[in-house]
Amino acid sequence: MTRTVYVNGEYLPEHEAKVSIFDRGFLMADGVYEVTSVLGGKLIDFEGHAKRLARSLSELDIRKPMEDAALLEIHRELVARNEIDEGMIYLQITRGAPGDRDFVFPPEETEPTVVLFTQSKPGLAESPAAKTGIKVISIPDIRWGRRDIKTVQLLYPSMGKMMAKAAGADDAWMVEQGAVTEGTSNNAYIVKGNTIITRQLSHEILHGITRAAVLRFAREAQMKVEERAFTIEEAQEADEAFITSASTFVMPVVEIDGAQVGQGRPGPVAHRLREIYIEESRKAAI
Ligand code: PDD
């Protein structure tokens, strides 16, 4: 089945979808994105993603091209047309294609470019990696200072994944001034006893939509949550570690820079939080 994608008002087969070479997303990484997961053909936390998208656009002074209801409609249409049961929807909005290259922002009336496509991932909820856990390495965080804006500047995170791969690991945690900021494409957590520790929200990290939901479920389940920075050494000595994102949900981390975390197996807290997250998200999906 040929994938149907959405580009600037049209639903097209993927090979017919085109964006200008002058698009500022292409030339300057001048754009933002969202990844929303799909379970059972329904969208997980659409409202949270739509809110963060609006904030990212507003922080960069990119015009919001449509209302949330219209965005929701496109998401649903793509899920239906591509028969997605489990997977993701990728959405990208850029400052548009002004017709030439210029550092100065284009005129107000320039239409933002809007692209959405689906990624089918059968078995997303039953991921084998969640049963074994993943290994991470640490790398310096050399990204720009506004990581709370979900921009398409993903070169360094992409390089980070390659560094992890070269080291025989699955992902990288980034470290700044001695403390972990986040994973290359996820938020980072450690567990000590009944306490979940994750870095506080600031410009230094992306405000994960999965993070917000998982912390809420953790508190509801009487777990303690501490929002503060932690070091790699503290993480290596923790009982458990895990990451969260729209594409991995809650994923246990069993090794950090070659040191085993806890028993070197996914721990009970990460396991439980993953179960709760998937169950509750399915119930609330739209
Ligand atoms: N990444 N931190 C970073 C740097 C991210 O890129 C992401 C998401 C997260 C988790 O955010 P959320 O829970 O809202 O997915 C944290 C997406 C999945 C991606 O780039 O594919």
Side-chain angles (χ1 to χ4, degrees), residues 173 188-199 214-215 218 223-226 228 230-231 233-244 250-253 256 261-263 265-274:
W173 280 8
Y189 306 73
I190 57 174
V191 180
K192 285 177 154 189
N194 190 34
T195 304
I196 294 159
I197 301 159
T198 193
R199 195 177 173 106
V214 165
L215 293 188
M223 297 175 195
K224 270 202 265 165
V225 175
E226 262 180 45
R228 64 160 173 88
F230 58 85
T231 64
E233 292 69 35
E234 188 179 5
Q236 287 171 323
E237 285 159 18
D239 298 323
E240 292 182 40
F242 63 91
I243 56 167
T244 66
V250 176
M251 181 64 68
V253 170
I256 303 172
V261 179
Q263 303 302 309
R265 291 190 301 271
V269 173
H271 180 75
R272 182 83 193 106
L273 282 175
R274 183 178 174 89

Side-chain angles (χ1 to χ4, degrees), residues 33 35 52 150 182 184-187 206 208-210 245-247:
Y33 77 107
V35 176
R52 185 174 61 191
K150 198 163 172 60
E182 58 186 331
T184 57
S185 62
N186 42 69
N187 292 115
L206 186 75
I209 303 304
T210 320
S245 76
S247 50

